[in-house]
Amino acid sequence: MKADPIGVATGSYYIDGDHACAEGAIAAGCRFLAGYPITPSTEVAERVAERFPKVGGMFIQMEDELASMAAVVGASWTGTKSMTVTSGPGFSLMMENLGLGAMMETPCVVVNVQRGGPSTGLPTLTGQADMMQARWGSHGDYEIIALSPNSPQECFDLTITAFNLSEQWRVPVLFMMDECVGHMTEKVVIPEPDEIEVLPRKYYQGDKESYRPFKFNGAADLAPMIKAGDGYFIHITGLTHDERGYPIINAEAQGKNVSHLVDKIRNNVEKISIFEEDCIDDADVVVVSYGISSRVALKAVEDARAKGIKVGTLRLVTVWPFPEGRIQQLAGKVKSFVVPEINMGQIVLEVERAAKGKAKAILVPHAGGWVHDPDDILAAIEEGAA
Amino acid sequence: MSETEQEFTETLTIPPPEEDLHHPMEQYLRMERLPHIWCSTCGIGTIITAFISGLQKSELDREKVAVVSGIGCSGRAAGYLRLDSFHSTHGRAIPFATGLALGNPDLKVAVISGDGDLVAIGGNHLIHAARRNINMTIVCINNFNYAMTGGQAGPTTPLEANASTAPYGCYEFPFNLPYLAESSGAVYVARWTALHIRRLTNAIAEALLKPGFSFIEVICPCTTLYARRNRLGDGLDLMRFYHDNAIIRHGADTREVDIGFQDRIIVGKFIDKEKPTFLEKRDQYLKSKLGEQFIPYKGPNDGH
Amino acid sequence: MSYWRVPLDIQEIEIPHGDLHIIVERCKGCGFCEEYCPKDVLEMSTDFNRKGYHYPNILKQGACVNCNLCEMICPEFAIFCLEGEPRHPDPGEVIQGGENREG
Ligand SMILES: Cc1ncc(C[n+]2csc(CCOP(=O)(O)OP(=O)(O)O)c2C)c(N)n1
Ligand code: SF4
Ligand code: SF4
Ligand code: SF4
Ligand SMILES: [Mg+2]
């Protein structure tokens, strides 16, 4: 399906990542946003608050992030594409009902413009230290999809991808920006509506009696949804449930329910994963990065090549699910991976796990507040090539 | 003893319904999920029958009524009702319901949940939804404790009542829920007990038909925990207590309806006033500011 | 319905009559129905159902007026009453009446 023209502000703009993200959401057909102000993500909500009344959308500023996330899950069950936006402590508060969204297999998008933590940390300065929280933040076992844009243009494009993925996989999709990308102003081109591919929700059509809101087969053909108010009298719960949505409190039901939540993503990593590679073929060292760090790393890669080091890059566009298989393949060929990230070591652990000792994984940490010095990344590349 | 009465000394068995005869509420219940989890002489089931009767009485299209619960014994309500029903997280029934109510303005959303769920962990959501006058009906089942987790003290536990985390009695001041709801902005506020089923039924029908945020507190026996810990007998004894100690006072000043331990319970319809709902206010206001540019929200947008 | 004297038009008065039904195995023996039936129609059995609860029996045959209170107050959806053939009251019955105990 093509984007509804009413939400697409076709043109060429000079805007920051937060604003581009808001435009991406509106273009994707999002018409419900519940949020609570927090730096550095507030601009997304502000732009939506201004634009929604003119495109038939519903914006509500809730009393906190617990409420925001709960409202988004509720709104999504009315059939409206829904999102929320937050940073830092707000992301922590969303974890409870992010789990609800995962358990209820509810499509929605959660934008986290990352800042430095823990706690109130660095409200106005960058960080990438919520990457593991994105994966594991709510209690219990589930899988999630997370994307990490590295430019305002991607904040537009990938927000649309995030909505499409959430509909396709019936899962909350986390849009893991960082303060740098959020506040970076660059040229953003918003294409014509008929150039924007939007995935509509898959609805059930059939008799009401045989409708099942869930299908626990861990496969890509997920149960189609219906909307509240359609007369199906659905029951949807955060408790462990069966395919009818009815609570069942025992180990067998848990096995079926949770395996499905995990398998529908794990069995389809290839279909979901998006990453970009460059100069991989003859590389001794591969720099694995995401978000703003992938742009800082380019300078280090350039310098390393100038020094004759065979270095390639792998940029994670979807960080979760992690492209374990690809890293495993590369691990047989390259000497080492260099992982610069604005945290004290998160995604590097995934790289290390996937490499299974066949290649080194070298972390270039940064505690947050600013981006890496490219020379630090260069030093790690040199170490990895040695 | 009259002659007629003498005939009644032998009891008769009540016949079971013939096969095609059903309990009139069965079509509103998820029969495949019964029996429900509630204890013998718990009042929650009675409140569910009142909800169903109230819904019938309101004559709302049941396909356009959704119910949301949080977590707790009371929070299990949604799971038994054959309506679109959602069982959210502890305390978040109201924001979840806000998403439904705003996401599809044609829906009437009812929240049925417990005192702990709605007023402790969910208290902030309660007052804000009331302030905004979101179109929803709250049925707050007040059994004076956190029953599901074993009878701990909560925001409504009366002073001196015993609870598992107040083993020497409760020394925290409780909330007066009608006062809280009214001062937060609710347009309809009532309190009944599980014994006042007809009046409760009427209140539920009225509240469901009332545009905006309506709040009904229902005092409900928790036999297994609250009654037992406080040596109050069983649910029937509590019903008898309500009978003897409930005072109907419509229009009472909500500041004066607080509840003490085994004290009188003032019940009635306290507030019923008019105020634009969140959506009415929003649409009218934005229209006045944006004129033709304003496009009201119409619900799901992908052609379904 | 209670009068201080036998009404002259007693033959025209029709007392609604209810046909009671119970799903015995659903009953959890709370006694709400017995306690609050305005006509004292019900009495808890001495027998147990399979769950081990006493369930209500009819004590006063024909006295049920189909007020549905038992149906409404039952927390288990176990008892219900449908409209039966109305009947004419006995003179003795109308002046005694029953107290409505729903508060
Ligand atoms: C975030 C969170 N904290 C605590 C709990 C545990 N919990 C479940 S139900 C409940 C209390 C429910 O009390 P109330 O809402 O009064 O319902 P009742 O059981 O009394 O009907 C608590 C504390 C939970 N499920 N989630
Ligand atoms: S514990 Fe209390 S509130 Fe919960 S079902 Fe039993 S009697 Fe009812
Ligand atoms: S319908 Fe009314 S009169 Fe008949 S048994 Fe029930 S409560 Fe009693
Ligand atoms: S009210 Fe219902 S559960 Fe209670 S005794 Fe009567 S029939 Fe049984
Ligand atoms: Mg309670």
Side-chain angles (χ1 to χ4, degrees):
Chain A
M1 193 172 111
K2 301 299 176 193
D4 182 350
I6 197 175
V8 184
T10 305
S12 189
Y13 300 86
Y14 195 61
I15 50 176
D16 73 12
D18 282 359
H19 287 260
C21 170
E23 287 302 330
I26 299 167
C30 173
R31 292 294 179 271
F32 183 91
L33 189 149
Y36 188 82
I38 188 164
T39 309
S41 68
T42 312
E43 293 91 329
V44 183
E46 285 171 353
R47 188 166 183 118
V48 166
E50 192 208 319
R51 291 267 283 125
F52 263 8
K54 300 174 185 171
V55 300
M58 175 64 65
F59 166 79
I60 181 168
Q61 187 171 303
M62 297 298 287
E63 51 276 14
D64 58 30
E65 290 86 350
L66 296 156
S68 304
M69 189 66 224
V72 162
V73 178
S76 183
W77 277 97
T78 69
T80 294
K81 291 189 179 175
S82 305
M83 79 185 300
T84 183
V85 189
T86 192
S87 299
F91 195 52
S92 293
L93 286 187
M94 284 183 185
M95 288 301 134
E96 177 191 48
N97 296 293
L98 181 73
L100 183 70
M103 192 60 151
M104 292 180 164
E105 299 192 55
T106 308
C108 58
V109 171
V110 178
V111 177
N112 175 6
V113 186
Q114 295 173 85
R115 64 192 222 182
S119 190
T120 314
L122 299 172
T124 55
L125 299 178
T126 203
Q128 291 183 318
D130 307 345
M131 299 310 296
M132 280 294 176
Q133 187 183 19
R135 172 63 190 86
W136 300 105
S138 199
H139 57 284
D141 270 317
Y142 59 96
E143 284 276 348
I144 208 98
I145 298 175
L147 295 132
S148 185
N150 79 353
S151 67
Q153 182 67 52
E154 276 200 354
C155 289
F156 177 85
D157 297 338
L158 293 178
T159 300
I160 298 168
T161 309
F163 275 98
N164 291 349
L165 286 169
S166 79
E167 293 295 340
Q168 187 178 355
W169 300 100
R170 277 190 66 177
V171 72
V173 173
L174 303 178
F175 199 62
M176 303 295 288
M177 296 165 57
D178 49 63
E179 185 276 335
C180 285
V181 170
H183 284 164
M184 169 193 291
T185 299
E186 280 183 350
K187 184 177 165 188
V188 173
V189 177
I190 300 181
E192 298 287 340
D194 61 5
E195 291 164 36
I196 299 175
E197 209 47 58
V198 163
L199 194 69
R201 183 164 297 182
K202 208 165 104 205
Y203 286 110
Y204 172 81
Q205 266 136 359
D207 72 295
K208 293 182 179 177
E209 289 311 306
S210 40
Y211 178 61
R212 298 281 177 275
F214 302 100
K215 182 152 74 180
F216 293 159
N217 59 2
D221 63 322
L222 295 160
M225 295 176 74
I226 62 102
K227 308 191 291 287
D230 278 352
Y232 282 72
F233 304 141
I234 43 168
H235 183 62
I236 309 293
T237 175
L239 284 172
T240 297
H241 48 268
D242 62 17
E243 293 187 344
R244 294 171 302 174
Y246 289 3
I248 304 193
I249 310 300
N250 64 42
E252 193 197 338
Q254 173 79 351
K256 287 185 190 156
N257 191 350
V258 173
S259 302
H260 168 71
L261 296 182
V262 167
D263 290 346
K264 70 175 179 181
I265 305 295
R266 279 192 200 165
N267 293 343
N268 294 292
V269 178
E270 261 86 85
K271 290 193 188 120
I272 299 167
S273 264
I274 307 169
F275 51 83
E276 272 176 7
E277 293 177 345
D278 193 29
C279 303
I280 286 277
D281 292 343
D282 65 341
D284 289 329
V285 179
V286 171
V287 177
V288 180
S289 60
Y290 54 93
I292 189 61
S293 303
S294 67
R295 291 179 66 162
V296 177
L298 287 181
K299 168 80 172 108
V301 168
E302 220 176 86
D303 294 349
R305 288 212 191 109
K307 290 190 172 189
I309 301 173
K310 288 179 183 162
V311 54
T313 57
L314 190 156
R315 175 166 79 94
L316 301 167
V317 176
T318 51
V319 178
W320 304 115
F322 188 74
E324 205 175 317
R326 183 58 185 150
I327 297 289
Q328 232 167 56
Q329 275 176 351
L330 292 175
K333 299 187 205 156
V334 305
K335 284 189 194 159
S336 49
F337 296 102
V338 167
V339 188
E341 43 185 348
I342 308 176
N343 58 51
M344 301 310 280
Q346 298 193 5
I347 296 304
V348 68
L349 301 174
E350 284 297 290
V351 175
E352 195 173 87
R353 192 174 63 80
K356 293 197 161 72
K358 289 197 207 135
K360 262 200 296 184
I362 304 169
L363 167 71
V364 190
H366 192 302
W370 192 227
V371 295
H372 291 85
D373 181 339
D375 287 346
D376 293 341
I377 304 175
L378 177 63
I381 294 172
E382 286 171 332
E383 180 196 333
Chain B
M1 194 179 276
S2 76
E3 258 187 37
T4 20
E5 275 188 9
Q6 272 168 10
E7 286 171 25
F8 298 141
T9 47
E10 226 173 277
T11 64
L12 289 170
T13 316
I14 307 176
E18 298 95 62
E19 259 187 31
D20 52 342
L21 259 191
H22 293 284
H23 190 289
M25 281 173 195
E26 285 188 10
Q27 51 164 319
Y28 284 86
L29 293 165
R30 297 185 189 276
M31 293 309 296
E32 60 276 33
R33 297 209 58 222
L34 291 187
H36 57 57
I37 62 159
W38 299 309
C39 307
S40 166
T41 88
C42 174
I44 299 174
T46 302
I47 297 168
I48 298 307
T49 66
F51 181 81
I52 294 171
S53 315
L55 176 59
Q56 284 172 318
K57 197 165 176 178
S58 76
E59 292 183 0
L60 287 173
D61 174 2
R62 65 188 280 212
E63 296 196 351
K64 298 291 173 209
V65 175
V67 12
V68 184
S69 289
I71 304 295
C73 294
S74 313
R76 287 305 189 96
Y80 298 112
L81 287 165
R82 188 171 289 287
L83 297 168
D84 282 334
S85 56
F86 297 89
H87 185 212
S88 63
T89 41
H90 191 31
R92 317 297 165 222
I94 289 178
F96 192 102
T98 300
L100 286 171
L102 299 186
N104 182 350
D106 294 336
L107 287 178
K108 180 76 197 198
V109 187
V111 171
I112 309 179
S113 215
D115 51 319
D117 187 84
L118 291 168
V119 190
I121 189 165
N124 198 31
H125 311 311
L126 172 77
I127 60 175
H128 285 277
R131 169 179 67 78
R132 298 184 181 108
N133 201 22
I134 305 275
N135 185 27
M136 64 170 72
T137 294
I138 311 292
V139 177
C140 176
I141 301 179
N142 182 2
N143 52 17
F144 301 121
N145 74 147
Y146 292 120
M148 178 63 100
T149 39
Q152 293 82 17
T156 55
T157 308
L159 279 172
E160 289 170 35
N162 193 289
S164 66
T165 48
Y168 309 109
C170 177
Y171 44 78
E172 284 183 31
F173 297 108
F175 267 129
N176 168 351
L177 299 187
Y179 181 38
L180 179 67
E182 184 198 354
S183 38
S184 306
V187 290
Y188 182 100
V189 181
R191 175 195 279 153
W192 296 105
T193 77
L195 178 67
H196 296 83
I197 34 176
R198 291 202 197 280
R199 298 178 203 268
L200 176 59
T201 296
N202 292 341
I204 288 169
E206 261 181 13
L208 287 173
L209 292 172
K210 179 102 194 165
F213 191 87
S214 46
F215 182 89
I216 304 171
E217 176 184 9
V218 192
I219 308 296
C220 177
C222 166
T223 313
T224 307
L225 297 157
Y226 186 76
R228 182 180 294 170
R229 278 201 85 89
N230 287 289
R231 299 178 204 285
L232 304 175
D234 64 14
L236 184 54
D237 294 304
L238 281 178
M239 291 290 237
R240 290 185 183 123
F241 177 83
Y242 303 156
H243 177 263
D244 296 341
N245 294 280
I247 303 168
I248 299 179
R249 205 174 284 160
H250 294 299
D253 184 338
T254 58
R255 284 172 300 184
E256 278 149 28
V257 303
D258 49 340
I259 298 177
F261 181 58
Q262 291 301 92
D263 195 2
R264 59 96 183 95
I265 302 171
I266 294 178
V267 295
K269 176 163 86 175
F270 305 133
I271 303 292
D272 190 351
K273 64 180 179 196
E274 309 304 318
K275 198 166 86 177
T277 67
F278 174 88
L279 279 177
E280 287 165 355
K281 187 81 187 147
R282 171 189 191 266
D283 287 1
Q284 168 257 316
Y285 185 82
L286 289 175
K287 174 96 196 146
S288 77
K289 291 285 163 183
L290 297 177
E292 292 308 303
Q293 277 189 297
F294 175 57
I295 302 179
Y297 174 81
K298 285 270 166 27
N301 60 311
D302 54 5
H304 278 266
Chain C
M1 210 180 307
S2 113
Y3 300 90
W4 59 274
R5 62 168 174 80
V6 178
L8 298 176
D9 55 354
I10 185 153
Q11 279 319 305
E12 267 129 67
I13 293 175
E14 285 191 341
I15 297 190
H17 170 67
D19 281 335
L20 279 170
H21 299 280
I22 187 168
I23 301 128
V24 169
E25 297 311 328
R26 261 187 222 165
C27 170
K28 286 192 198 152
C30 67
F32 292 178
C33 54
E34 180 203 33
E35 176 86 8
Y36 293 103
C37 169
K39 294 287 172 189
D40 295 328
V41 173
L42 304 167
E43 184 189 59
M44 299 310 279
S45 67
T46 47
D47 292 348
F48 296 97
N49 66 7
R50 255 179 278 144
K51 283 190 275 202
Y53 293 111
H54 298 296
Y55 52 89
N57 277 332
I58 297 178
L59 175 67
K60 291 188 185 173
Q61 198 195 348
C64 169
V65 293
N66 191 31
C67 72
N68 290 112
L69 197 95
C70 53
E71 178 182 314
M72 297 272 301
I73 207 165
C74 173
E76 306 294 331
F77 319 102
I79 190 167
F80 65 99
C81 192
L82 299 173
E83 196 177 337
E85 284 293 305
R87 63 185 178 83
H88 299 291
D90 298 332
E93 198 180 349
V94 287
I95 45 174
Q96 280 167 2
E99 54 173 323
N100 184 344
R101 278 190 264 181
E102 190 207 338

